[in-house]
Amino acid sequence: MKRLLQSVALALLPVTVLAAETRFGDGLPAGEVVLRADGHGDVHVAVLGTPGDIRVIRDGATVYRASPERLVGFDVASDGDAFGFEKIALLRLRDAWDEPRAVAGLSSGVGGRVFVSRRDDVWVAGAPMMLRSRSGETLRTGFNPGDAIRLEPRCEDSYGNLWAARVDRAGRGAGLAVLPIGEKLTPGDMGRWQTVELPREFGARWTDMCADDAGFVWAALETELARVDPQATDGGVRLFKAPAGAQISAIARAASRNLLVGFADGAIREIEVVTRTGEPVWRELRKGGGGPVRAMLHAADGSLWFVAGAELFQSDVAAEPWQRHWRERPRMPLGNHDNIFARMGDTLYTAGGKTFNGWPADKWVNLDHIWKYDIPSETWSVGPPMLESGKSYPGIAALEGELWIVGGLFRAGNGTKATATVEIHNPKSGDFRLGPKFPSERGQIVALSAGGRLYAVGGEDGPASDEMFSIGPGETAWRAEPAAPGPVTQAAGCVIGHRMFIAAGVRSNCPGLFVFDVKARTWSSVKHPADTPPAAPLVTALDDEVWVMGGRGKASGEVGVHAWSAKTEGWRRGPDLPLPLSWGAAAAVSGRLLIAGGAYREGRVGGFYNSDRVFVLKER
């Protein structure tokens, strides 16, 4: 097989053409362009066609280049692996200097687009099998290569759904299809694709699909955009006309915004729809010129990459202020909140949570599985279900190499019902067993490990509690501890040395931090700099500092970040969060702060939105 990737002997130097744009020399050939970024920050540029063209940009220079014989599909996984479909074989391009290898089970002969999901599952348009790249397992897709309408997976939304274009044999659009994968993605989930009808025929020519940061799915036609609302039971499809005389040639997700739209005259605009039923607002980010916009990518560092005509550009026109301090990392399996982290070794764990998911995503769902985040590879996976099905809001902490999952809430009519069950999970074996029952039925417990014991504080089943209990290795009953200074609810905590720190809001009568010294078995308090300390903040310890981030203020979500030093016993201000997040997870990872999930009030959906986004603070 022809060698696919070759190192470039002389890196291609960028050429600055405008104050906000950098042009990369050596023009691109004709053909459809795929722009992708991997988890390392490299930008991959692939031109589909005969022959194809692949380039990888790193630190402002082209470091790889290839000319596949016939490249008809290309995508990049979060771990940096690239997948291309050349002739009849799916190729994994793991190392730029290795020969590509066909992946067993996907050399179907159908050819077509490649899509890699956030779990690094690899789909080929029309192929009867898909590849779970981390395990090497293949699963049936429900596709039949002989069907008159072929499904081309294109994007995922934040509700756990996979979206595909329905394309006829001539390549014309025939509508959309959705696969409600949800959190589990078991083989039984395959093959249940559902058709999503548009108000009129999708059109003889269309460009692409993507999901935005409010949960909507967008498809671009020549002169209008179709937007699907996964939370609407009727599909919630709306059409938005492009500005007069403009022809759409590309679309892309814009971080924290709605959508970037490229046009055949070289212009780039942002479309914003303030509410579900609101009218669009168009903002021009780039004037026309230089040929049609063929592809766009809003990268994690805030730069906008796009191909206009035969040239590749990088621009700062779409950069957000928060991107100076925070960098996006691979997303969670789906949007979630109340997903507190517990860490063991190089893995972060979270148990349960509560969100909207599936199709339509119109009902609250309790997520009762263990989620895992592998720190070295920055990848997410969904682990086994807890013993009590349908449970969310438990406390979670690590004790002697096992996860302790304490209490939790079930849905009961319009309310909830608490449990006192304690589940112990062994990540190595994957097994669960029951632990000593908690003294009270509680959900939203703050669980922390300190001084060789596990402490469980507060929680609620109706009224919130100030009770605290602890348990040690080998013990068969919980020990009563001194009660907290107030009822602990909507709270999160961390540990530094022999002290536990819990941040809660005014409902807990907490001035900022409740502090428990496990040696002295005494409580104290620390006042937060804000007049009203936030409820439900994201909390973690980094070195000798307690970081309290976001949360709910007097009337709305907060973006403020404050760090309290256990050495100086003083506060300092940190960079604001990218979003006004509450009820999310936080951890210290490789000397950096990582935050994941959480919820905030989002005007575009008219209520609270559960985030699937993950951010790392670049520097303190």
Side-chain angles (χ1 to χ4, degrees):
M1 185 179 292
K2 180 178 177 181
R3 189 175 185 83
L4 187 59
L5 288 181
Q6 305 164 354
S7 66
V8 173
L10 184 61
L12 301 174
L13 298 178
V15 179
T16 300
V17 294
L18 291 175
E21 289 184 2
T22 299
R23 184 179 70 223
F24 290 80
D26 193 12
L28 297 170
E32 183 178 355
V33 180
V34 178
L35 270 177
R36 296 288 186 268
D38 61 30
H40 310 297
D42 293 350
V43 174
H44 300 245
V45 188
V47 182
L48 309 183
T50 308
D53 187 286
I54 297 175
R55 307 174 190 199
V56 181
I57 315 296
R58 177 181 300 155
D59 297 329
T62 304
V63 294
Y64 307 145
R65 187 167 178 188
S67 298
E69 295 175 359
R70 183 173 178 267
L71 187 70
V72 293
F74 182 84
D75 206 351
V76 178
S78 59
D79 61 5
D81 281 5
F83 294 87
F85 202 100
E86 183 187 24
K87 291 185 177 178
I88 63 169
L90 180 70
L91 309 174
R92 184 201 298 267
L93 315 178
R94 173 164 288 172
D95 188 320
W97 289 273
D98 279 354
E99 287 289 335
R101 299 175 300 278
V103 177
L106 286 113
S107 298
S108 62
V110 295
R113 276 180 163 268
V114 175
F115 174 76
V116 183
S117 75
R118 65 183 68 188
R119 300 184 192 184
D120 293 344
D121 293 331
V122 184
W123 298 74
V124 175
M129 305 294 290
M130 53 85 77
L131 172 71
R132 310 202 76 175
S133 67
R134 296 179 195 169
S135 67
E137 177 188 13
T138 54
L139 298 177
R140 294 193 177 278
T141 62
F143 300 164
N144 180 359
D147 288 343
I149 300 296
R150 183 173 70 182
L151 295 186
E152 296 184 348
R154 295 291 187 105
C155 67
E156 295 169 286
D157 63 27
S158 57
Y159 303 107
N161 301 310
L162 176 63
W163 288 84
R166 299 171 61 239
V167 179
D168 65 21
R169 290 177 178 173
R172 294 188 296 262
L176 308 179
V178 59
L179 177 63
I181 291 178
E183 61 159 349
K184 299 175 184 177
L185 187 52
T186 61
D189 289 323
M190 296 297 102
R192 297 205 300 258
W193 289 87
Q194 301 178 39
T195 299
V196 178
E197 300 295 340
L198 297 179
R200 62 176 71 101
E201 186 181 354
F202 200 34
R205 178 187 175 276
W206 64 288
T207 56
D208 206 352
M209 294 168 57
C210 69
D212 67 15
D213 288 326
F216 299 114
V217 175
W218 296 80
L221 290 73
E222 287 186 325
T223 59
E224 57 191 349
L225 297 165
R227 191 195 70 182
V228 183
D229 181 357
Q231 288 199 293
T233 55
D234 62 356
V237 180
R238 291 189 65 193
L239 295 179
F240 300 95
K241 286 281 188 183
Q247 182 174 332
I248 298 171
S249 58
I251 61 172
R253 168 219 174 218
S256 300
R257 305 181 182 186
N258 260 23
L259 196 73
L260 298 175
V261 186
F263 293 89
D265 63 357
I268 296 176
R269 296 179 175 91
E270 173 193 349
I271 181 174
E272 179 181 0
V273 184
V274 179
T275 66
R276 273 199 167 99
T277 58
E279 293 304 311
V281 176
W282 290 91
R283 296 186 180 91
E284 187 175 73
L285 301 183
R286 182 182 193 260
K287 295 185 179 298
V293 177
R294 298 162 62 189
M296 295 180 295
L297 167 70
H298 197 189
D301 63 359
S303 60
L304 173 64
W305 293 81
F306 63 95
V307 174
E311 302 295 339
L312 172 66
F313 295 90
Q314 182 186 24
S315 169
D316 61 6
V317 70
E320 298 276 355
W322 59 263
Q323 288 169 326
R324 294 196 298 268
H325 306 288
W326 297 89
R327 185 180 181 89
E328 286 206 67
R329 308 312 299 150
R331 296 188 174 215
M332 299 167 64
L334 67 153
N336 192 10
H337 82 303
D338 283 278
N339 51 312
I340 305 302
F341 279 142
R343 179 169 181 171
M344 287 195 297
D346 285 337
T347 306
L348 300 175
Y349 298 88
T350 184
K354 185 178 177 183
T355 192
F356 295 94
N357 83 318
W359 170 259
D362 62 330
K363 293 182 176 62
W364 279 106
V365 176
N366 287 353
L367 303 177
D368 55 10
H369 284 54
I370 302 294
W371 287 12
K372 298 183 288 186
Y373 178 78
D374 182 72
I375 294 172
S377 65
E378 298 187 295
T379 54
W380 291 87
S381 60
V382 177
M386 291 181 274
L387 296 176
E388 288 186 313
S389 178
K391 177 171 61 180
S392 66
Y393 298 133
I396 180 172
L399 184 65
E400 288 206 324
E402 294 184 305
L403 291 173
W404 285 58
I405 300 164
V406 184
L409 297 175
F410 298 94
R411 296 191 62 78
N414 294 325
T416 59
K417 182 180 184 304
T419 178
T421 299
V422 175
E423 301 186 28
I424 303 174
H425 174 58
N426 186 319
K428 292 183 178 179
S429 67
D431 295 333
F432 283 87
R433 71 180 188 276
L434 294 176
K437 192 173 284 289
F438 196 65
S440 302
E441 294 179 339
R442 300 280 178 201
Q444 298 187 349
I445 292 170
V446 176
L448 298 167
S449 294
R453 300 183 67 80
L454 187 148
Y455 292 80
V457 190
E460 60 182 64
D461 181 18
S465 170
D466 62 0
E467 293 179 317
M468 180 168 70
F469 301 90
S470 74
I471 196 165
E475 296 179 359
T476 59
W478 292 80
R479 184 180 81 187
E481 300 285 354
V488 174
T489 182
Q490 302 284 300
C494 63
V495 175
I496 298 178
H498 56 86
R499 289 189 291 176
M500 303 189 316
F501 299 86
I502 298 174
V506 293
R507 286 181 58 193
S508 297
N509 300 321
C510 180
L513 296 172
F514 288 149
V515 185
F516 183 71
D517 188 313
V518 298
K519 290 183 177 179
R521 298 184 73 193
T522 58
W523 286 95
S524 60
S525 298
V526 174
K527 189 177 186 327
H528 192 278
D531 293 336
T532 302
L538 288 69
V539 179
T540 193
L542 179 57
D543 296 332
D544 69 332
E545 291 184 313
V546 178
W547 287 70
V548 180
M549 300 169 279
R552 301 293 298 167
K554 288 183 179 180
S556 61
E558 302 286 343
V559 295
V561 172
H562 295 84
W564 184 83
S565 171
K567 290 182 178 179
T568 66
E569 297 191 347
W571 292 92
R572 68 181 180 90
R573 189 69 189 265
D576 285 353
L577 295 179
L579 298 165
L581 294 167
S582 304
W583 309 287
V589 172
S590 303
R592 294 280 188 267
L593 286 171
L594 179 144
I595 61 175
Y600 58 96
R601 193 172 291 279
E602 170 58 80
R604 286 173 288 182
V605 301
F608 280 99
Y609 178 71
N610 299 309
S611 176
D612 59 354
R613 299 171 73 180
V614 178
F615 303 92
V616 169
L617 185 62
K618 295 179 182 179
E619 53 188 46
R620 307 179 208 179

